[in-house]
Amino acid sequence: MRLKTNFTTARVSCECIDQFVFLQVEHGDHDNKSLLRFGALWQAHFSHDSLLVYSTGRSPKMFADLRGEVPLLTPAIAVLSCGTEIFYGDSMTEDDAWVDNINKGWSRAAVEEVANEMNLKYQCDSEQRPHKVSFHVRKEEAKYVIPSLREKLLAKGLDIKLIYSGGLDLDVLPRSAGKGQALRYLLNKLKAEGCVPQQTLVCGDSGNDQELFSVDNVFGVIVANAQDELLQWHANQVGDKSHIFVSTEKCAAGIIEAMKHFNLQPNVSPRDCNVPLSVHCRRIPKADPGAVAREVVEYLLLTEQWLRGDIDASEAAFRRLKFSLDKNSNRICARGIIDNPHEEIESLRNQHGSQKGKNFRIWADRVRSIKLSDDSWLVRFDKWERSDAEWTCVLTSALLQANEEFPNGICWKLIHETWLQGYEGSAPPRM
Amino acid sequence: MASLQACIAVARAPPLSHSPCLALLARALRPIRCTLRPQVRFLSGDMAMDWSFNWTAQGVSFRRGEMRFRVSLKEEASVDAKDQRVGAKAIPKLMLVSDLDNTMVDHLDKSHTGLLRFNNLWAAEYAHNSLLVFSTGRSLEKYTQLRTQFPLLTPALCIFSVGTEICYGANMEPDQDWVNYLNEGWNQAVVLEEVKRLNLRLQDDSEIRPHKVSCQIDKKDATEIIDTLSKRLKDRGLNVKLIFSHGIDLDVLPKGAGKGEALAFLLQKMRREGSAPQETLVCGDSGNDIELFEVEGVNGVIVGGAMEELRQWYDINGKHSSRLHLAKERCASGIVEAIGELSLGPHLSPFDRMNSNGIQPAVKASEKGQLTPSGVAQREVVEFNTFFTKWMNGEVPNNPESFQRLTSVIASGSTMVYPWGVEQSLLQSVTSAQSKHGLTKDKKIRVWIDCIQEQELANGVLMVTWHSWQMSEGTERKGYFATAILREKEGTPNGVEWLRVHETPRKS
């Protein structure tokens, strides 16, 4: 499948893994704060010209599960099952050419045969994939099981690699597969289409991420909560390893820290600073897709902060929310009525702080805009809302127009919403 | 967006050419907030109109009872209305004033074919520049009931209760001038008294309105009752008129009331405001419609199946008139027939042009040479929807060339949000429908489009909004609010291609 891209340089290509998320939840970040921080940064500043790629050991099913549990952005590319499966876009279309690549010297049946001989313990069904056979091997046994397995598989004429991570998981893959191989493959593909990213940032926390860091011309970050095996590997590296940064922060926060370290701009998440309430007295805002994405992120963020009571119930903040909406704007609400959001927002006044203590978050995903003219855009985004147990999502189309008389230089003229299938809300929405 | 390619491709689509004209215009109007574009007016509620939304833009506030047209930009932009880039004209091309029961609505046609044909023609060819007016003997309550039973479009205004009530907008704002006018020489209490004195049978409460008292009498007694009642009311100092129709209904109204008077009043008002329609077509089937035909300067159609009293009138008074047409077809089909016979505008709807013989293109001769002629995007929306529905119903031939009509107008990378909460590549989902020809042939889907409006967002980029309705045999009708962005493209049937569609189910 051809990766067709039309831009000449993506600014940053960022690879993230999911393990940190798993750990994040364990470490009590039930709020997923750092994921949201990263998400806001990405949507506001990078979504329009950069590629977000996830590279994880998770299988498609486990990946889908994860996306239902934490506020994970939709990636442009998902490299799953330890780099043996590559999927593109929202519809997760598989890359068949990659499959052809990794078929050489691989036979799943042969691997199983050997494994059964050795009485290895298989992981659950969902983790068994066409080009990945996965086992649980205890740390103590790993020392001899792994070399033995390797020998036997090589003897069978297979061209494989073994990856041991987390002190428990053993994956057997074709040697031409793997996270690093997949990354190289993708970079080559982008190059072939004339769009090499200016920078590539890879992030890892465990054994199966080692390969990522050895791809040419990438920056790397090892997050603070990384597994020993990765930290050990890093310590053992000789030569210039300045392209790898060991972060003091965990998970997604570590990525942001690394961006600051490597001076990849912008690197301040909208969630880490005050949402600007007015751009009056500033220069006329440059109308660009980045500005549109920022407006979407900032608007939703400010709404969240208002409802959580994270900001004061100031008139300036409320005005920012109300007067960014055109007086004559229209909204088709997901619940099937049409209203004027500029007027309806008055009801938000009393709702300041109404979501305090309820784990309430609003975030945007898949923010994409189409320029209609020099000063107007059609933007589409998924608006997610979460409070305690309930997650809802609204597929949104909006018409935005540059107009310096409006607080952020941009005004909302039209909002059209439809509930995302499976995430319909029941209570009347707030905004 | 469905794929990486699509995502990136669209994000990097070449910018549309800058329009210096519009930019200048925008600067000139800077003190006026956002009046030019994009102004999107939405229609909320059932009698959907946009009266309350946009008119405060220039400090022009909505004045009760004053006529406003949906797509009129006259009040909002102090630019030369001849400048076609600004948008729709203030002067309606056609004002169609129709009775409902047995005129627009055929109670004998359970499949609503005639009405749907009319709706299709109206949405495609007239919604952007013409006015639809219903003039009914029904009260508001009975009208609302009728709307739940028949696929009626939303009119610009409604004249109820045999011309005694003129109402605008979603809130059914009554025209106060009309109320004041009718109050002269009228006293409802007195009329009710006299009616009781004669022991006449009153109709339902809903048919007794501030300026209308309705009863039911026997045909054979009609002449006598009418004479007596007239005299008595005159003696009591009132100035009334009595109308007998359908062989049973007797309406007592102020002298100045009536469907004809109400229409004349409206036309006069519109003339004063400089917004009188170029042509008016009145449509009726019974006695209380006669006055409509007698209003000066109007065209008229007597639909097939009309009542005897109206046919008689036609034989005596109307036969010679070139502006009057006695239709062969029943009800709404008769209206469509008349539009053609009287040359009031296009009369071939997409519905009519797409059938088992294939697809005939629309006649577009008059629009050649115009910059961004208004209404093309609307026609495209109606045509696209009509063809798609007919394809699924198996009502057009199953050949790939004709299916191309759909796929050829979808821009690459365009997407649609479906009302059930899924977003897909528009091209992909339409293409996948190709194999579903005739899927619903046993339970045909009927679709109609209401409240369709078009807006130019930027040079060559148009937004269309509409309410779409769907029904099929045995199922409740379902409504959707839709918005779409279309862009000029040469070589397409209507000169536009689709960029984006978004639909939300309407709250039931």
Side-chain angles (χ1 to χ4, degrees):
Chain A
M1 169 173 190
R2 261 197 100 224
L3 212 192
K4 265 193 294 229
T5 52
N6 275 357
F7 53 85
T8 49
T9 48
R11 276 171 56 218
V12 172
S13 168
C14 190
E15 288 228 344
C16 315
I17 57 162
D18 73 308
Q19 293 288 351
F20 65 79
V21 172
F22 176 73
L23 294 166
Q24 187 169 30
V25 170
E26 266 198 326
H27 284 134
D29 185 8
H30 298 292
D31 199 22
N32 307 128
K33 187 80 203 291
S34 61
L35 249 189
L36 290 168
R37 282 174 61 216
F38 176 77
L41 172 61
W42 186 265
Q43 288 299 339
H45 297 293
F46 293 94
S47 57
H48 62 284
D49 65 1
S50 299
L51 288 177
L52 182 64
V53 184
Y54 290 157
S55 186
T56 169
R58 286 184 177 243
S59 62
K61 182 190 174 302
M62 297 279 275
F63 177 61
D65 286 348
L66 184 67
R67 299 192 63 194
E69 292 161 21
V70 294
L72 208 57
L73 295 184
T74 301
I77 306 173
V79 178
L80 304 180
S81 311
C82 289
T84 63
E85 294 176 272
I86 299 179
F87 298 95
Y88 299 111
D90 297 342
S91 53
M92 295 279 275
T93 321
E94 187 164 11
D95 186 335
D96 295 324
W98 177 245
V99 172
D100 291 337
N101 276 1
I102 61 177
N103 259 336
K104 307 181 186 95
W106 172 258
S107 160
R108 199 173 204 285
V111 175
E112 285 176 18
E113 214 185 295
V114 172
N116 293 340
E117 273 169 26
M118 292 176 66
N119 252 331
L120 294 180
K121 186 162 177 286
Y122 284 85
Q123 288 183 21
C124 61
D125 282 346
S126 67
E127 296 314 285
Q128 308 304 334
R129 302 298 297 160
H131 295 85
K132 169 172 161 299
V133 193
S134 298
F135 310 97
H136 284 311
V137 177
R138 289 202 314 273
K139 229 170 174 165
E140 315 82 62
E141 300 173 345
K143 283 194 282 284
Y144 57 88
V145 164
I146 292 177
S148 170
L149 178 61
R150 181 177 289 120
E151 210 184 291
K152 295 200 161 98
L153 292 171
L154 287 173
K156 281 225 163 205
L158 298 178
D159 196 11
I160 45 84
K161 67 165 49 133
L162 274 66
I163 300 183
Y164 187 61
S165 50
L168 182 62
D169 298 326
L170 179 66
D171 300 304
V172 181
L173 327 166
R175 192 149 62 89
S176 49
K179 291 184 174 187
Q181 305 286 57
L183 177 57
R184 278 191 202 92
Y185 170 78
L186 288 171
L187 287 172
N188 282 338
K189 214 168 173 161
L190 286 171
K191 192 163 157 190
E193 301 185 15
C195 39
V196 179
Q198 286 173 17
Q199 288 118 345
T200 303
L201 177 67
V202 304
C203 325
D205 80 331
S206 75
N208 65 25
D209 298 319
Q210 281 172 25
E211 306 176 3
L212 286 176
F213 296 104
S214 33
V215 175
D216 286 341
N217 295 326
V218 302
F219 291 112
V221 52
I222 296 175
V223 293
N225 53 309
Q227 294 290 324
D228 280 340
E229 68 242 5
L230 185 60
L231 292 166
Q232 195 62 47
W233 168 84
H234 179 255
N236 292 344
Q237 296 305 301
V238 291
D240 180 13
K241 40 189 187 180
S242 61
H243 65 287
I244 301 179
F245 173 69
V246 180
S247 164
T248 60
E249 300 244 31
K250 293 194 282 225
C251 314
I255 301 174
I256 298 180
E257 204 197 344
M259 289 172 77
K260 291 187 162 99
H261 172 84
F262 291 118
N263 203 25
L264 301 173
Q265 298 278 0
N267 50 44
V268 178
S269 169
R271 283 185 177 270
D272 293 333
C273 53
N274 294 327
V275 174
L277 299 180
S278 165
V279 298
H280 288 302
C281 312
R282 278 208 228 162
R283 51 165 177 76
I284 292 167
K286 194 169 62 115
D288 63 83
V292 171
R294 277 195 300 281
E295 170 61 16
V296 171
V297 172
E298 283 175 9
Y299 195 94
L300 295 190
L301 181 56
L302 193 61
T303 308
E304 177 197 289
Q305 291 171 345
W306 181 272
L307 291 167
R308 285 172 59 101
D310 286 347
I311 52 167
D312 293 335
S314 71
E315 193 56 32
F318 187 76
R319 283 187 73 84
R320 166 71 173 93
L321 287 174
K322 181 174 168 96
F323 287 90
S324 296
L325 305 169
D326 189 273
K327 254 204 313 229
N328 301 314
S329 55
N330 288 273
R331 173 178 51 201
I332 301 177
C333 303
R335 68 187 195 276
I337 62 156
I338 299 178
D339 65 17
N340 179 330
H342 181 85
E343 289 167 19
E344 285 308 305
I345 203 170
E346 283 296 322
S347 63
L348 198 68
R349 270 194 205 275
N350 308 339
Q351 292 178 35
H352 179 268
S354 60
Q355 296 294 324
K356 217 182 180 80
K358 291 187 189 162
N359 229 353
F360 178 76
R361 294 288 179 195
I362 307 178
W363 71 94
D365 189 18
R366 300 195 294 161
V367 182
R368 298 173 192 151
S369 56
I370 303 175
K371 185 170 174 164
L372 300 175
S373 72
D374 279 345
D375 64 350
S376 63
W377 296 266
L378 171 69
V379 64
R380 60 89 47 226
F381 57 95
D382 302 341
K383 187 179 92 167
W384 288 90
E385 251 187 50
R386 182 196 71 189
S387 76
D388 286 332
E390 197 195 39
W391 283 46
T392 61
C393 181
V394 154
L395 297 169
T396 311
S397 302
L399 262 185
L400 271 60
Q401 191 183 36
N403 188 320
E404 62 193 29
E405 295 184 33
F406 285 76
N408 201 25
I410 293 183
C411 82
W412 297 69
K413 311 238 26 151
L414 167 71
I415 301 168
H416 191 154
E417 304 176 337
T418 301
W419 290 119
L420 175 65
Q421 197 174 59
Y423 291 94
E424 296 85 356
S426 44
R430 279 154 284 273
M431 186 295 232
Chain B
M1 310 239 189
S3 66
L4 176 61
Q5 295 89 294
C7 159
I8 296 168
V10 173
R12 294 287 158 156
L16 299 158
S17 57
H18 182 69
S19 161
C21 172
L22 274 171
L24 275 170
L25 232 36
R27 276 203 281 280
L29 294 170
R30 182 162 291 168
I32 301 155
R33 259 167 206 267
C34 301
T35 52
L36 259 191
R37 53 171 176 94
Q39 267 161 122
V40 184
R41 271 160 302 197
F42 270 95
L43 314 179
S44 57
D46 210 18
M47 261 296 276
M49 288 308 301
D50 65 337
W51 314 106
S52 43
F53 289 148
N54 289 330
W55 309 97
T56 53
Q58 265 188 344
V60 173
S61 50
F62 170 72
R63 295 195 284 280
R64 273 175 62 108
E66 191 162 322
M67 293 283 292
R68 289 286 184 270
F69 305 126
R70 249 187 292 152
V71 288
S72 168
L73 293 177
K74 200 176 170 218
E75 312 299 324
E76 298 168 42
S78 53
V79 289
D80 189 356
K82 285 196 233 94
D83 181 354
Q84 292 182 330
R85 283 171 180 273
V86 171
K89 307 172 192 30
I91 297 168
K93 186 155 178 283
L94 173 69
M95 181 160 85
L96 195 146
V97 182
S98 177
D99 175 43
L100 288 176
D101 294 278
N102 300 310
T103 306
M104 188 62 76
V105 169
D106 188 347
H107 288 277
L108 299 179
D109 180 4
K110 292 297 168 220
S111 69
H112 312 300
T113 311
L115 183 48
L116 291 171
R117 270 184 71 218
F118 172 82
N119 292 351
N120 193 272
L121 177 63
W122 189 265
E125 306 291 348
Y126 292 93
H128 67 285
N129 64 11
S130 298
L131 280 184
L132 183 62
V133 178
F134 290 155
S135 179
T136 172
R138 287 185 178 240
S139 60
L140 172 55
E141 196 183 303
K142 291 251 152 77
Y143 166 73
T144 312
Q145 216 175 54
L146 188 68
R147 286 191 73 87
T148 64
Q149 296 158 350
F150 288 87
L152 286 168
L153 291 181
T154 300
L157 40 76
C158 225
I159 305 172
F160 295 115
S161 309
V162 203
T164 59
E165 291 174 81
I166 298 176
C167 295
Y168 306 96
N171 301 323
M172 295 290 196
E173 294 264 1
D175 187 316
Q176 201 52 47
D177 293 332
W178 186 239
V179 170
N180 296 339
Y181 173 67
L182 292 182
N183 276 335
E184 292 168 32
W186 172 262
N187 187 321
Q188 195 213 39
V190 168
V191 174
L192 283 169
E193 263 178 50
E194 292 302 329
V195 160
K196 275 208 184 78
R197 266 182 69 188
L198 283 171
N199 268 325
L200 300 178
R201 197 169 63 244
L202 281 173
Q203 289 184 17
D204 294 339
D205 280 347
S206 64
E207 301 309 300
I208 315 295
R209 303 292 295 160
H211 295 92
K212 168 172 164 289
V213 175
S214 296
C215 33
Q216 287 182 327
I217 62 179
D218 286 324
K219 206 169 177 174
K220 58 183 182 3
D221 302 326
T223 326
E224 199 195 314
I225 291 176
I226 290 170
D227 281 343
T228 317
L229 189 53
S230 301
K231 191 170 176 304
R232 293 215 181 146
L233 290 172
K234 191 165 177 207
D235 290 342
R236 293 205 56 180
L238 296 188
N239 204 358
V240 303
K241 73 168 25 141
L242 275 67
I243 302 182
F244 181 61
S245 60
H246 296 98
I248 186 170
D249 297 323
L250 182 65
D251 301 310
V252 184
L253 322 169
K255 187 79 189 282
K259 288 184 171 187
E261 279 82 346
L263 177 57
F265 169 83
L266 276 173
L267 284 170
Q268 211 180 30
K269 201 166 180 174
M270 286 159 79
R271 268 177 220 124
R272 268 202 318 269
E273 296 174 8
S275 56
Q278 288 171 16
E279 291 283 1
T280 303
L281 174 65
V282 304
C283 322
D285 80 304
S286 75
N288 64 22
D289 298 320
I290 290 175
E291 314 169 2
L292 282 176
F293 296 105
E294 288 175 339
V295 173
E296 202 186 304
V298 306
N299 301 284
V301 53
I302 296 168
V303 296
M307 307 238 24
E308 199 48 42
E309 64 237 17
L310 188 54
R311 285 176 183 275
Q312 278 173 4
W313 174 88
Y314 176 76
D315 282 337
I316 301 167
N317 302 295
K319 241 178 175 157
H320 55 274
S321 168
S322 60
R323 286 165 158 260
L324 222 48
H325 178 71
L326 181 66
K328 296 183 203 65
E329 303 243 27
R330 283 180 65 83
C331 303
S333 289
I335 299 177
V336 173
E337 184 192 311
I339 291 174
E341 293 297 321
L342 297 170
S343 301
L344 294 170
H347 63 283
L348 285 175
S349 60
F351 196 90
D352 291 331
R353 291 188 278 110
M354 300 173 181
N355 49 40
S356 49
N357 298 327
I359 308 170
Q360 290 122 55
V363 173
K364 286 179 287 175
S366 58
E367 269 142 359
K368 285 204 172 76
Q370 279 188 343
L371 297 159
T372 323
S374 67
V376 286
Q378 286 179 192
R379 188 193 290 135
E380 172 60 27
V381 167
V382 179
E383 273 190 12
F384 193 99
N385 275 280
T386 306
F387 183 81
F388 194 87
T389 309
K390 289 211 167 199
W391 182 269
M392 304 296 279
N393 287 342
E395 290 167 323
V396 284
N398 184 0
N399 67 53
E401 293 84 49
S402 68
F403 193 80
Q404 253 222 321
R405 161 65 181 89
L406 295 180
T407 50
S408 66
V409 292
I410 299 174
S412 76
S414 52
T415 51
M416 171 153 180
V417 176
Y418 288 89
W420 48 87
V422 160
E423 188 168 337
Q424 277 182 340
S425 148
L426 188 56
L427 189 58
Q428 247 173 40
S429 49
V430 167
T431 309
S432 67
Q434 186 164 8
S435 56
K436 301 192 183 129
H437 180 272
L439 188 72
T440 51
K441 68 178 190 293
D442 295 322
K443 235 186 188 183
K444 297 204 164 82
I445 305 175
R446 297 292 169 220
V447 170
W448 72 99
I449 287 177
D450 193 15
C451 304
I452 186 165
Q453 290 191 101
E454 175 189 300
Q455 195 96 47
E456 191 179 29
L457 295 180
N459 197 12
V461 181
L462 300 144
M463 164 179 279
V464 186
T465 60
W466 68 95
H467 302 188
S468 90
W469 292 95
Q470 244 183 52
M471 70 179 171
S472 62
E473 204 190 297
T475 61
E476 282 281 317
R477 65 166 78 159
K478 283 189 281 227
Y480 305 94
F481 293 127
T483 58
I485 311 273
L486 291 91
R487 181 168 61 188
E488 270 175 10
K489 177 155 188 219
E490 270 186 32
T492 51
N494 289 303
V496 288
E497 61 175 356
W498 295 73
L499 279 185
R500 170 89 171 165
V501 190
H502 191 146
E503 287 192 352
T504 300
R506 184 189 181 113
K507 182 171 177 191
S508 47

